[in-house]
Amino acid sequence: MVRQGAVRRGMRFGVRVGVIPAVFWGILFLFVAVAPFGSGPLAVLRPGLIAVVGSLAAGVLLGVVMGAALAVAPQWLVSRGPLRGLLAAGLAGVLFQAEVAVVAVVTDVGYGPTLAAFLATPAVAALAAAHSGDIAGRSRRHPWLWSPGAVRALVDICSEPGSWGSKGRRLLRMMW
């Protein structure tokens, strides 16, 4: 049995997981990028953009795959909290290695940042296990996974017919 909305809730979870390192890398590279503008702005901003976009993509991948796995998992597995948590933690732990790869690429395999990202894997796995009930649709302990919010509004605006200019104006009105 496929549970409705699990992928969407998984994506919300993944975006939140991906935003944390993306904001960190964005702030770090913003401060680092101010100093060496002699080599050109694109050369200075490229690692920061790769880090931010890569972290967000890794988070979304993590959330979508975990949500899809919980959506199609057998009922006997999803109905048992410890088994569901183990499934979510295992998937999140494996898929968070995409973030470790992003950090390794951006820092030219710097030992410190790559090790720090790798050591964050158990924390992400524990978060996934703790939120697995909500992602699978079995509980409602974390309301931010259930409310559509800005992500739903963005999807609705982008999927409606009309020109991209009118969609952009509507997005700007929504934000302000």
Side-chain angles (χ1 to χ4, degrees):
M1 174 182 158
V2 176
R3 282 159 282 297
Q4 299 296 323
V7 175
R8 189 171 48 248
R9 288 186 298 273
M11 189 173 70
R12 283 189 197 122
F13 175 78
V15 167
R16 296 261 176 132
V17 167
V19 161
I20 296 167
V23 167
F24 170 76
W25 287 112
I27 291 171
L28 180 71
F29 278 103
L30 185 65
F31 286 120
V32 170
V34 173
F37 261 116
S39 62
L42 186 59
V44 172
L45 295 177
R46 185 178 301 133
L49 290 173
I50 291 171
V52 170
V53 172
S55 293
L56 286 173
V60 169
L61 172 73
L62 182 148
V64 167
V65 170
M66 189 173 59
L70 289 171
V72 299
Q75 186 66 30
W76 63 268
L77 190 138
V78 175
S79 64
R80 289 167 176 82
L83 292 177
R84 181 185 61 236
L86 280 173
L87 174 66
L91 282 171
V94 168
L95 292 170
F96 191 71
Q97 298 313 304
E99 175 63 29
V100 175
V102 168
V103 171
V105 166
V106 169
T107 62
D108 293 329
V109 194
Y111 293 127
T114 306
L115 181 63
F118 180 74
L119 291 176
T121 302
V124 172
L127 276 173
H131 290 82
S132 65
D134 281 311
I135 294 170
R138 303 290 296 181
S139 68
R140 287 183 178 257
R141 289 189 191 124
H142 305 94
W144 58 270
L145 284 170
W146 290 90
S147 62
V151 174
R152 180 63 177 192
L154 178 66
V155 169
D156 288 344
I157 289 172
C158 290
S159 63
E160 69 185 15
S163 69
W164 282 102
S166 66
K167 292 177 187 181
R169 285 189 295 276
R170 188 162 172 216
L171 284 171
L172 286 175
R173 273 186 268 139
M174 182 185 77
M175 291 188 317
W176 269 269

